[in-house]
Amino acid sequence: MGRLGVKTDYEELRNAQILENKARLASLGLQKTVAELRSIRSKPQSEKRKYNKVDYFSTPLRRSSRLKSNSSELNSYGTAPLAKRKLGLFDEGDDEDDIEKRPANAPLLRVKYGSMLRLTPEALARRCTSKDRGTLYDPYLGICCHFCRQKKLCGEEDCKRCGDSDMDQPCLGKTDCSICHSSQGVLCRGCLKVRYGEEMEDVRANKEWICPHCTEEKGINPYWICNSSLCLKKRKMAPTGIAIFKAREMGYKSVAHLLMDQLQGAVKG
């Protein structure tokens, strides 16, 4: 009985403390907050948010700040360009059939609202410091190489197109294919030698020169392929990167000759 009495006293004390704690919570307003949270939790989940389709054609187009500030930027001509140059074979309103067909290393460049500007003496001096791929980059006058895709002015001293801005003259530092006359046949001196084993002087002397891309397409040289990254990706092949060192260590004239031997061995093997 004594133990039961002790237990009863403990329970009474415990119940008294519970009532005291409830009263304290009620005075602080915590029970109301807990009830609200439980009600929010018990509510069903709201429907998924609906996204309104945006009409992007009705919104104004964004333009790069670099393109907007072209009029205030200085270039290799020593002064700001008078107007944006338009590259192409014909202007708006011209008949395409009336435009003279030009080789790829002498594309037609029209200058609107201004005259063609000359290179500064400093730019001319930097232009001829390297003949391989050229030193001076020019996004307007430069002709893009099919392999390295660098729009640089060539470093040939006698090139009137890159040196004198004569658009009626071909670039001496870029090739032109006698078959396609397209950008695929435009190669700079460095890429022509390292990637395909040919010299620019020999190409200039040969009026019937055929670019590596057309040589592959026409099947003129078996197992020969154009090893530019663009053409290799079309063949589902990985770009070769800097493979000239490996080719020369193995005794090959260029990267194209190395690939040709590897393809021939893979087909026969």
Side-chain angles (χ1 to χ4, degrees):
M1 294 295 293
R3 291 182 178 179
L4 292 176
V6 171
K7 185 176 180 180
T8 302
D9 294 339
Y10 171 76
E11 289 179 351
E12 291 179 354
L13 179 62
R14 178 173 177 272
N15 292 333
Q17 290 179 348
I18 290 174
L19 293 175
E20 183 181 354
N21 291 335
K22 287 183 178 181
R24 188 178 301 172
L25 290 175
S27 64
L28 295 176
L30 294 180
Q31 287 182 340
K32 182 179 180 181
T33 304
V34 171
E36 291 177 353
L37 292 176
R38 286 179 178 175
S39 63
I40 293 174
R41 184 179 179 183
S42 61
K43 288 182 179 180
Q45 294 183 354
S46 59
E47 297 181 358
K48 292 184 178 180
R49 182 179 177 182
K50 296 181 179 180
Y51 292 92
N52 297 326
K53 187 176 181 180
V54 180
D55 185 9
Y56 292 99
F57 294 99
S58 62
T59 58
L61 296 177
R62 297 178 62 185
R63 289 290 181 261
S64 170
S65 58
R66 177 180 59 84
L67 298 178
K68 292 180 181 179
S69 60
N70 269 349
S71 58
S72 61
E73 293 180 355
L74 297 182
N75 57 12
S76 58
Y77 304 98
T79 181
L82 298 180
K84 180 181 177 181
R85 295 168 172 81
K86 179 181 179 182
L87 297 176
L89 295 178
F90 53 92
D91 280 336
E92 296 178 2
D94 291 341
D95 189 358
E96 185 177 1
D97 296 333
D98 296 337
I99 301 300
E100 178 187 358
K101 300 299 181 182
R102 299 167 67 99
N105 63 347
L108 181 63
L109 186 142
R110 299 283 181 113
V111 184
K112 292 187 175 181
Y113 315 118
S115 58
M116 183 64 63
L117 303 179
R118 300 289 180 178
L119 294 173
T120 61
E122 294 79 8
L124 284 172
R126 288 194 297 118
R127 186 183 73 83
C128 296
T129 54
S130 174
K131 283 188 176 183
D132 287 343
R133 290 182 176 86
T135 305
L136 190 62
Y137 178 82
D138 194 308
Y140 301 114
L141 298 181
I143 302 174
C144 184
C145 171
H146 175 59
F147 184 86
C148 66
R149 296 194 284 278
Q150 293 292 320
K151 296 187 70 173
K152 292 182 178 180
L153 302 179
C154 76
E156 307 292 333
E157 297 179 359
D158 300 332
C159 183
K160 295 182 180 180
R161 183 179 182 92
C162 297
D164 300 335
S165 301
D166 189 350
M167 295 298 101
D168 293 328
Q169 298 295 327
C171 176
L172 299 181
K174 299 292 193 303
T175 61
D176 176 50
C177 178
S178 61
I179 294 180
C180 65
H181 296 290
S182 68
S183 59
Q184 294 177 340
V186 176
L187 297 168
C188 63
R189 178 186 285 270
C191 293
L192 181 69
K193 182 176 182 179
V194 171
R195 306 300 304 193
Y196 305 100
E198 297 187 67
E199 297 291 343
M200 184 63 70
E201 287 77 12
D202 298 335
V203 172
R204 281 198 221 128
N206 183 11
K207 301 300 181 182
E208 303 298 326
W209 180 78
I210 302 175
C211 69
H213 190 274
C214 287
T215 302
E216 171 192 349
E217 195 173 56
K218 302 295 182 182
I220 299 174
N221 193 357
Y223 305 106
W224 175 274
I225 64 172
C226 178
N227 59 85
S228 70
S229 60
L230 297 174
C231 295
L232 288 178
K233 286 181 180 179
K234 290 180 181 179
R235 284 178 160 268
K236 307 298 182 182
M237 297 174 63
T240 59
I242 308 176
I244 183 58
F245 301 107
K246 178 182 178 181
R248 288 177 176 172
E249 286 178 0
M250 299 177 66
Y252 292 99
K253 189 177 181 180
S254 69
V255 177
H257 291 83
L258 170 62
L259 292 179
M260 182 174 63
D261 198 15
Q262 290 179 347
L263 288 175
Q264 185 176 2
V267 171
K268 292 183 178 180

